[in-house]
Amino acid sequence: MKKLFFTIFLALSVSACKTTEPLYYHGAYNQAVYAYFKAEDTTLEEQINILQQTIQAAANAGKPIAPGIHAHLGLLYFDTGNADLGKQHFEQEKVLFPESAKYLDFLLTARQGA
């Protein structure tokens, strides 16, 4: 009887395990953020390339891009002196995640005033 109970319990617990797919595509975003703050091994251009590849991979997979990726890419563009692309990615982040609009407006004002 114990064996039967254990077998049923094991079968139920294994069948109950279901992995859920993440809501957003992150790709190499975590590594890009780490590289940005570490600022030792990866150039800004390499970081931009990583994030562009992440955005492209999300589009190819048909998955929504994670919050913050366009904003981070915008900051990188501002850091390289390309304010137009920086602003474009800030605006894209606001379209995708309207709850970030006030913070991005603050960053945009700070970057344009600098």
Side-chain angles (χ1 to χ4, degrees):
M1 185 66 167
K2 285 184 179 182
K3 288 182 182 180
L4 177 63
F5 178 72
F6 180 73
T7 304
I8 292 172
F9 175 75
L10 185 61
L12 288 175
S13 60
V14 170
S15 66
C17 295
K18 179 184 176 190
T19 59
T20 58
E21 198 168 317
L23 183 59
Y24 298 108
Y25 184 84
H26 291 84
Y29 180 52
N30 291 338
Q31 292 88 348
V33 170
Y34 179 76
Y36 180 76
F37 286 112
K38 187 175 176 187
E40 290 179 5
D41 300 331
T42 310
T43 66
L44 293 175
E45 290 77 19
E46 291 171 330
Q47 293 174 43
I48 288 170
N49 189 34
I50 290 169
L51 291 178
Q52 288 174 334
Q53 289 175 358
T54 300
I55 291 169
Q56 187 59 46
N60 292 344
K63 296 181 179 181
I65 196 71
I69 292 181
H70 281 285
H72 188 86
L73 187 53
L75 286 174
L76 291 173
Y77 278 122
F78 274 110
D79 288 347
T80 60
N82 194 337
D84 291 335
L85 277 175
K87 184 176 179 181
Q88 180 182 352
H89 282 282
F90 275 16
E91 294 300 324
Q92 181 65 28
E93 183 78 17
K94 289 194 299 188
V95 167
L96 294 172
F97 306 101
E99 64 275 10
S100 67
K102 286 188 179 191
Y103 181 63
L104 289 170
D105 288 340
F106 165 75
L107 290 177
L108 187 58
T109 301
R111 291 293 175 153
Q112 290 177 340

